[in-house]
Amino acid sequence: MKTHAHPKGRGDAVDAARLAAELTRQVEGEVRFGSGDRALYSTDSSNYRQIPIGVVVPKTKEDIVKTFEICRKYGAPITSRGAGTSLAGQCCNVAVIIDTSKNLRRIHELDPERRFARVEPGVVLDQIRDTAAEHHLTFGSDTSTHAWATIGGSIGNNACGVHSHLSGRTSDNIKELEIITYDGLRLRVGATSDDEFHRIIAEGGRRAEIYQSLRDLRDRYADLIREHFPKIPRRVSGYNLDDLLPENGFHVGRALSGTEGTCVGYLEATMHLVHRPPYRTLVVLGYDDIFAAGDHVPAVLEYGVIALEGMDSILVGNLQKKRLHPAEDFALLPEGQGFLLAEFGGGTREEANEQAEKMMRDFRGKFARGRMVCYEDKETQDRIFEIRESGLPATARLPELADTWEGWEDAAVHPDKLGAYLRDFRALTDRHGYSGALYGHFGQGCVHTRTDFGMKTADQVRRFRRFIEEASDLVVEYGGSFSGEHGDGQSKAEFLTKLYGPELVRAFGEFKAIWDPAGKMNPGKIVDPYRIEENLRYGKNYHPHEPETEFKYPEDKGSFSFAMERCVGVGKCRRTEEGTMCPSYMATREEKHSTRGRARLLFEMLQGDVIDRGWKEESVREALDLCLSCKACKSECPMQVDMATYKAEFNAHYFKNRLRPLPAYSMGLIHIWARLASRLPKVANFFTQAPLFSTMAKRLGGIAPQRQMPRFAETTFHEAFKPDPEPRPRGRVILWADTFNDHFHPEILHAAAEVLRSAGFQVEVPRARLCCGRPLYEFGMLDLARFKLQELLGELRSDIRAGVPVVGLEPSCVSTFRTELPDLFPHDTDAQRLAKQTFILSEFLINEVQDYQAPVLKRKALVHLHCHQRATMDLNAELELLTRMGVDHELLDSGCCGMAGAFGFEKEKYDVSVACAERVLLPAVREAAQDTLIVSNGFSCQQQIEQLDGRRALHIAQLLQMALREGPAGPDGPRPENHYLPAAPRPPGLVASLAVLTAGAAIGSAVLIPVIRRILRK
């Protein structure tokens, strides 16, 4: 296979097949040149898309060295990549992509005395920040992506962030870099004294040649650098040639920061650390508009802030429309249409408050009441800063409004000129008919915005270019920088001559040539750049395939392709320390197992040029296969990407007219097997529990041999339930008897019925054995799922129209009513009604029952919430119910348990399932005292805890039942029943075994085999 190294003709064609083969032989890490791998890395968080030659995921820095050597042999360009969140196109190229984020994550040294850290390029910013925090130190760069952005990417982009007042840009914190050049030179670079410079020159060789060339370059351009480089805090555009000046220590490491991979590769970085004030005070100021806020920045800066952020009411309104934050967060803001967030720090609470109080005293005459509020507690401060950090997702896709785009995303001016610049910039957008929120690091004059450019027609692209031409002129007038944080890449580099003049732009070219004479390092970015309208991800030729789909995507104009545009590459799904999204990425740290990676592969599938097999594409199926359908992305992804739905959609088409994996029939059709097992539960349990037959059953069903098959209840809830003989005062409620609790844990349904009756409700259960079909979605069995939903709609129609509430106990079933049901039947009014009148137990008792008096249970509890409950239900209702009960509870930030329905039972997924559970959940359960209750509402979660730890988790309905039966009880009161596992039942004797086998054979012949045949034919 031949792949051109560069569409602009830079370099000869690259023999990609031979290159891949040699890399595979010599690199210890992973070499990925398949179409799916190339599609996965085709873009970043920018407007641009370029298909790479291939991808290398190095295991060690020696792998990077070896990759450079082999790429040089074949003439292949190289692009380095961190978390892939760049907003200017610098992380995509027709090159070999080196992704250091998976393996090169070690902190080699952290010296609190000398205040530095020595790290690998794949280390995440929060890794350093959390480690350094133990010594009241921090790494200064704290972009909004600090939980997943890497050091290598931060150096490449010269990242900044909220607290640049403390430390400056990333380049300002570089002590030393270990680098490698395209021609194979490996060296350490930092500040260079005259003595060291002369020693290097005396040694001769390639290093001496580079240093002499750098000195000559500096001397020739020194006066122009001093004269024309913008004198502002946030100059990120261009190269840092000013760091080569004598007064700046001829610091070669800092000069190479912000070069966006166009000069060298980074192997290791030694970073300065700065003092981290342990106490913070936040003052939020409200203004009539964002322009008045900009005018007031210089006055606020006089009081010694450690951070000064700004945002307008458009940003706040967008967040409210998208419901990315609870309403009470916005109530923390003062009155106004523009806001400044002024943070003060100190070694004590009094010290942190002192400057804040002084500023507020001085400002009182200028601010009306309600325009200035102060917060001392960290939790509240974090909530307000999270509003500001949500800027990109808040402005990227807005309900009922045009999509917005980067392109003029982070220009910076001097803070003294900020208010005037904002007015002129808004006038410019108004003239062009554009709009967008204004926010950013106002204390350093950096303004973020996303603009509704359009980008999908030739006219929209022409208008986009005209606007950027004028916007760049405006910044030059103000003595600013095109980029104050996110770099030039392809978005702005074309216009650098306006900013620096032709001579300094020529100097940038010479600087790159000193390091990269062959021009193979990330070509087309910063130096000799592409035009801003080239390589657009969308553009005038954008025409994705629009397939017929099972789901209707009512929130995406009924379009699957429009749904695939949701992901803008924010990268929040790459977090590894908190939240639920994305559990398989947390376990594997593979880009293709992140929500973003899967979304990109689906996007590329619709383009059809790299991934060309449509719904039958194997690389897409592989990426989706480890999706746990946890739905966390539906709520935690700022763009609300719904990967569980996309997976079900894809599998429905992928498996059309072909057999599904064995678990699809053994676990996906659990509603059928459970119904059959309920006829002869002892027979069923014999086959699932007796060692020999259990092993055979698991093998036939594709189930992991380590798993224990759940035991069927001897009497289902349906069979034992007795309706209320008389009406109750609060009216009727339908208790949803889901398949899992009905057939495996009927005691939970009995507990819920007792609780609801004690609350004054008449409990009813549908006479028919209904099922929402939740396990069917995982395997794309959407025809059968739709049939099950139509069946239950028909059965419940009169109750739905009467407004009878439905209370579910299994979160995944309630989630099906909330999400899948209205997505499959968007025009069925009864489906919409049922979605709104179905509740999880805690939601119903807290939000729907007026003055509910919860029974008291004085216990300690460790709480793990099912991921569907976190994603689609009211989390606060669960916590409020526990609080009202008097339960001393701890809510684990444990993400998905890893069982996720059939997922954890599948043989090929067992290791990932366990890894998910071992991240937080299982260690917490093991450490919990024996009298601490383990609370989890999901059947899958209960199974995972029980099978991997031997401890039985209780449903909140069981806690309520215990409280009703025990009354108030102290720590020495009665112990909960069923909290620990009973002794394993004895294996059946020989006579019983033979009887069971005979009965089983008869059932298999008469019932099971015909059913299986019908399923396979379907």
Side-chain angles (χ1 to χ4, degrees):
M1 178 181 69
K2 294 282 186 180
T3 302
H4 283 284
H6 202 286
K8 299 181 88 171
R10 297 169 191 165
D12 297 326
V14 174
D15 190 328
R18 291 183 61 195
L19 171 62
E22 188 158 349
L23 284 167
T24 302
R25 286 195 301 271
Q26 298 197 43
V27 170
E28 188 179 357
E30 296 144 275
V31 177
R32 301 169 177 174
F33 276 54
S35 59
D37 302 305
R38 296 167 62 225
L40 192 63
Y41 287 81
S42 62
T43 189
D44 46 19
S45 198
S46 72
N47 295 331
Y48 300 100
R49 171 181 179 260
Q50 293 174 276
I51 308 302
I53 298 169
V55 180
V56 174
V57 182
K59 193 170 185 179
T60 64
K61 64 182 180 181
E62 299 303 323
D63 274 351
I64 299 178
V65 174
K66 184 59 70 175
T67 299
F68 269 64
E69 176 188 329
I70 297 170
C71 285
R72 182 168 66 253
K73 176 179 175 181
Y74 287 89
I78 292 173
T79 294
S80 298
R81 177 180 168 114
T85 57
S86 294
L87 281 154
Q90 54 266 65
C91 280
C92 54
N93 215 323
V94 184
V96 172
I97 306 289
I98 298 179
D99 180 357
T100 61
S101 65
K102 179 181 179 181
N103 299 315
L104 297 180
R105 302 169 70 106
R106 287 174 285 274
I107 299 176
H108 290 301
E109 185 179 5
L110 194 147
D111 189 327
E113 298 298 323
R114 294 187 288 169
R115 291 190 175 185
F116 74 79
R118 184 168 59 86
V119 304
E120 293 181 334
V123 165
V124 171
L125 297 183
D126 273 0
Q127 286 181 259
I128 302 177
R129 287 153 52 88
D130 293 345
T131 306
E134 300 171 11
H135 310 284
H136 301 296
L137 299 172
T138 191
F139 174 62
S141 176
D142 60 346
T143 65
S144 60
T145 57
H146 53 79
W148 55 92
T150 67
I151 281 292
S154 298
I155 297 171
N157 282 3
N158 204 4
C160 305
V162 173
H163 291 100
S164 296
H165 291 271
L166 289 173
S167 60
R169 304 164 299 172
T170 294
S171 61
D172 300 319
N173 296 279
I174 296 293
K175 177 179 173 63
E176 183 180 78
L177 296 178
E178 183 183 2
I179 62 169
I180 181 171
T181 65
Y182 188 80
D183 55 15
L185 178 66
R186 185 173 172 179
L187 67 159
R188 291 184 178 273
V189 293
T192 315
S193 66
D194 286 343
D195 288 344
E196 185 178 2
F197 174 79
H198 291 305
R199 180 181 58 78
I200 291 170
I201 299 303
E203 289 175 355
R206 174 75 171 121
R207 186 184 186 196
E209 176 189 326
I210 288 173
Y211 272 73
Q212 185 63 63
S213 297
L214 291 174
R215 175 71 72 94
D216 292 344
L217 175 74
R218 179 199 74 183
D219 291 345
R220 281 185 287 115
Y221 291 101
D223 290 341
L224 279 173
I225 293 169
R226 294 186 181 102
E227 180 181 354
H228 289 294
F229 268 48
K231 309 300 188 293
I232 60 174
R234 284 292 189 95
R235 182 201 56 76
V236 173
S237 282
Y239 289 151
N240 297 331
L241 300 186
D242 53 333
D243 280 308
L244 297 178
L245 295 174
E247 58 266 35
N248 294 328
F250 194 54
H251 203 301
V252 179
R254 291 180 179 174
L256 285 169
S257 301
T259 54
E260 301 180 10
T262 60
C263 295
V264 298
Y266 306 131
L267 301 175
E268 189 177 277
T270 304
M271 321 293 298
H272 289 295
L273 303 175
V274 297
H275 176 64
R276 179 180 182 273
Y279 293 91
R280 312 286 177 94
T281 301
L282 178 65
V283 179
V284 187
L285 305 156
Y287 300 84
D288 289 339
D289 53 43
I290 195 64
F291 315 120
D295 290 337
H296 206 227
V297 163
V300 177
L301 288 175
E302 292 178 9
Y303 292 87
V305 295
I306 63 173
L308 182 56
E309 299 292 287
M311 58 186 181
D312 65 9
S313 58
I314 298 175
L315 173 67
V316 174
N318 290 346
L319 287 168
Q320 291 172 319
K321 289 175 186 174
K322 297 182 77 170
R323 299 179 182 176
L324 292 180
H325 292 271
E328 51 266 29
D329 285 3
F330 301 108
L332 298 171
L333 299 175
E335 297 173 15
Q337 300 299 305
F339 307 93
L340 290 181
L341 282 55
E343 185 182 44
F344 300 86
T348 64
R349 167 56 54 207
E350 292 73 21
E351 186 181 337
N353 287 344
E354 183 180 353
Q355 286 294 84
E357 291 170 354
K358 184 178 188 307
M359 184 188 76
M360 293 179 75
R361 282 196 306 270
D362 293 348
F363 286 175
R364 269 198 187 106
K366 302 175 184 178
F367 282 80
R369 179 177 294 182
R371 288 292 186 95
M372 192 164 47
V373 292
C374 181
Y375 299 105
E376 296 182 12
D377 64 294
K378 184 178 184 302
E379 180 184 352
T380 302
Q381 293 174 18
D382 288 347
R383 287 163 63 189
I384 293 172
F385 271 115
E386 283 172 9
I387 293 175
R388 160 58 194 90
E389 288 183 354
S390 300
L392 190 157
T395 57
R397 174 177 276 192
L398 307 173
E400 301 177 2
L401 294 176
D403 281 353
T404 60
W405 314 80
E406 69 91 1
W408 196 251
E409 221 278 341
D410 65 321
V413 299
H414 195 281
D416 291 349
K417 302 178 180 179
L418 182 59
Y421 169 74
L422 289 172
R423 288 183 179 88
D424 285 346
F425 181 75
R426 177 58 75 207
L428 176 65
T429 58
D430 288 346
R431 282 200 307 274
H432 285 264
Y434 292 141
S435 63
L438 297 172
Y439 58 100
H441 311 293
F442 278 21
Q444 294 199 314
C446 182
V447 180
H448 293 315
T449 187
R450 287 180 71 93
T451 310
D452 52 347
F453 292 127
M455 292 291 195
K456 290 185 178 178
T457 69
D459 181 61
Q460 288 174 340
V461 173
R462 282 192 295 269
R463 290 180 60 213
F464 160 66
R465 181 174 183 88
R466 286 196 299 269
F467 174 82
I468 300 299
E469 291 272 12
E470 293 187 38
S472 57
D473 290 339
L474 179 63
V475 165
V476 171
E477 284 180 33
Y478 274 89
S481 172
F482 301 156
S483 174
E485 185 162 50
H486 296 146
D488 298 316
Q490 189 175 341
S491 290
K492 305 143 193 158
E494 181 186 348
F495 302 108
L496 287 176
T497 302
K498 291 184 180 184
L499 185 60
Y500 290 103
E503 291 177 280
L504 281 178
V505 168
R506 187 162 59 248
F508 294 158
E510 292 177 26
F511 182 80
K512 173 178 169 64
I514 290 169
W515 297 102
D516 177 31
K520 298 293 187 180
M521 296 298 296
N522 207 16
K525 315 296 162 125
I526 300 184
V527 170
D528 190 16
Y530 291 103
R531 290 168 60 88
I532 62 168
E533 65 268 40
E534 291 184 87
N535 305 319
L536 290 173
R537 193 194 311 189
Y538 299 102
K540 63 182 182 181
N541 296 319
Y542 179 63
H543 187 67
H545 175 55
E546 191 61 73
E548 292 290 328
T549 57
E550 301 289 338
F551 290 99
K552 303 310 176 188
Y553 305 98
E555 296 178 359
D556 294 294
K557 303 179 182 178
S559 164
F560 185 71
S561 71
F562 190 63
M564 293 308 101
E565 295 176 20
R566 278 185 175 271
C567 179
V568 295
V570 175
K572 192 174 181 180
C573 49
R574 289 173 58 95
R575 293 178 306 180
T576 58
E577 300 301 326
E578 60 183 12
T580 304
M581 177 183 70
C582 176
S584 50
Y585 176 79
M586 290 181 180
T588 67
R589 291 182 178 170
E590 287 277 3
E591 174 70 15
K592 72 178 179 180
H593 295 143
S594 68
T595 303
R596 181 181 73 179
R598 294 178 178 121
R600 284 185 174 162
L601 285 172
L602 287 165
F603 175 90
E604 291 291 340
M605 179 189 80
L606 297 180
Q607 308 318 302
D609 51 354
V610 182
I611 296 177
D612 57 5
R613 297 194 64 225
W615 294 118
K616 303 302 181 182
E617 176 59 45
E618 192 63 26
S619 63
V620 180
R621 190 203 66 80
E622 288 176 2
L624 290 170
D625 195 42
L626 282 191
C627 169
L628 286 85
S629 299
C630 68
K631 288 185 177 289
C633 48
K634 178 74 172 172
S635 60
E636 292 184 24
C637 170
M639 301 306 298
Q640 297 164 334
V641 168
D642 186 2
M643 195 52 62
T645 295
Y646 307 158
K647 176 181 180 177
E649 183 75 63
F650 179 85
N651 280 342
H653 298 278
Y654 179 86
F655 288 111
K656 189 174 183 179
N657 300 321
R658 61 170 71 175
L659 286 176
R660 289 171 165 82
L662 290 173
Y665 305 108
S666 61
M667 304 297 294
L669 300 176
I670 188 65
H671 64 285
I672 295 176
W673 310 134
R675 189 85 52 84
L676 292 171
S678 67
R679 305 295 175 85
L680 286 171
K682 291 183 178 180
V683 174
N685 286 331
F686 171 80
F687 283 107
T688 60
Q689 306 301 317
L692 175 62
F693 294 104
S694 173
T695 300
M696 292 173 59
K698 285 186 278 190
R699 186 174 299 169
L700 289 171
I703 296 169
Q706 301 94 326
R707 290 298 184 189
Q708 179 70 30
M709 301 288 282
R711 293 181 63 85
F712 292 99
E714 294 194 6
T715 304
T716 68
F717 174 75
H718 252 109
E719 293 167 335
F721 177 75
K722 292 182 173 56
D724 292 322
E726 296 179 359
R728 293 178 181 262
R730 288 191 186 266
R732 301 161 56 213
V733 63
I734 294 174
L735 179 59
W736 182 255
D738 62 275
T739 297
F740 302 109
N741 285 316
D742 190 24
H743 292 88
F744 297 102
H745 290 164
E747 68 276 8
I748 294 176
L749 284 159
H750 286 295
E754 185 175 335
V755 168
L756 290 168
R757 283 167 174 155
S758 74
F761 288 94
Q762 178 182 337
V763 178
E764 297 182 359
V765 175
R767 285 172 294 179
R769 295 291 186 93
L770 302 175
C771 179
C772 70
R774 174 70 251 173
L776 300 169
Y777 297 93
E778 171 78 9
F779 303 102
M781 295 174 158
L782 299 186
D783 285 345
L784 185 53
R786 187 181 289 103
F787 171 79
K788 301 302 294 181
L789 291 175
Q790 287 172 327
E791 183 181 37
L792 71 86
L793 283 172
E795 186 71 25
L796 300 179
R797 199 169 302 279
S798 60
D799 291 321
I800 293 171
R801 294 178 179 179
V804 179
V806 176
V807 175
L809 305 182
E810 172 56 46
S812 60
C813 296
V814 175
S815 174
T816 300
F817 289 130
R818 293 267 178 94
T819 57
E820 280 81 7
L821 177 64
D823 280 356
L824 284 169
F825 303 100
H827 305 300
D828 187 320
T829 306
D830 288 329
Q832 308 304 313
R833 287 170 177 151
L834 182 57
K836 292 176 181 176
Q837 64 196 61
T838 301
F839 309 94
I840 200 77
L841 180 62
S842 58
E843 284 181 321
F844 181 71
L845 294 175
I846 296 300
N847 299 338
E848 303 299 316
V849 181
Q850 190 173 8
D851 301 324
Y852 175 67
Q853 298 295 316
V856 175
L857 185 69
K858 295 295 184 181
R859 291 276 195 265
K860 286 187 176 180
L862 197 66
V863 181
H864 166 81
L865 287 184
H866 190 288
C867 47
H868 287 191
Q869 187 170 358
R870 284 182 180 270
T872 64
M873 292 157 228
D874 184 358
L875 168 62
N876 291 327
E878 191 85 6
L879 303 182
E880 173 65 19
L881 180 55
L882 289 166
T883 299
R884 289 192 194 181
M885 293 175 67
V887 176
D888 180 7
H889 60 276
E890 176 189 354
L891 176 64
L892 293 175
D893 185 10
S894 45
C896 180
C897 72
M899 183 64 87
F903 184 96
F905 280 96
E906 294 184 52
K907 180 179 178 181
E908 294 79 9
K909 300 170 184 173
Y910 177 80
D911 290 340
V912 171
S913 172
V914 173
C916 292
E918 289 288 357
R919 194 178 66 83
V920 173
L921 175 59
L922 289 183
V925 171
R926 294 187 192 110
E927 291 172 10
Q930 290 201 349
D931 61 351
T932 296
L933 304 176
I934 309 300
V935 180
S936 189
N937 295 335
F939 176 78
S940 296
C941 312
Q942 294 161 2
Q943 284 293 306
Q944 186 79 307
I945 294 167
E946 180 178 317
Q947 296 203 16
L948 297 181
D949 185 70
R951 198 157 176 177
R952 176 164 289 172
L954 299 174
H955 194 286
I956 197 168
Q958 293 173 294
L959 265 66
L960 289 161
Q961 182 189 53
M962 285 162 44
L964 288 171
R965 291 183 176 184
E966 294 178 6
D972 297 323
R975 293 289 177 252
E977 298 176 2
N978 297 326
H979 190 39
Y980 296 96
L981 294 181
R986 291 183 179 181
L990 178 60
V991 174
S993 297
L994 290 173
V996 167
L997 282 171
T998 302
I1003 292 174
S1005 300
V1007 180
L1008 297 182
I1009 291 175
V1011 169
I1012 292 171
R1013 283 177 177 165
R1014 285 198 297 274
I1015 293 167
L1016 292 179
R1017 281 199 300 270
K1018 185 175 184 64

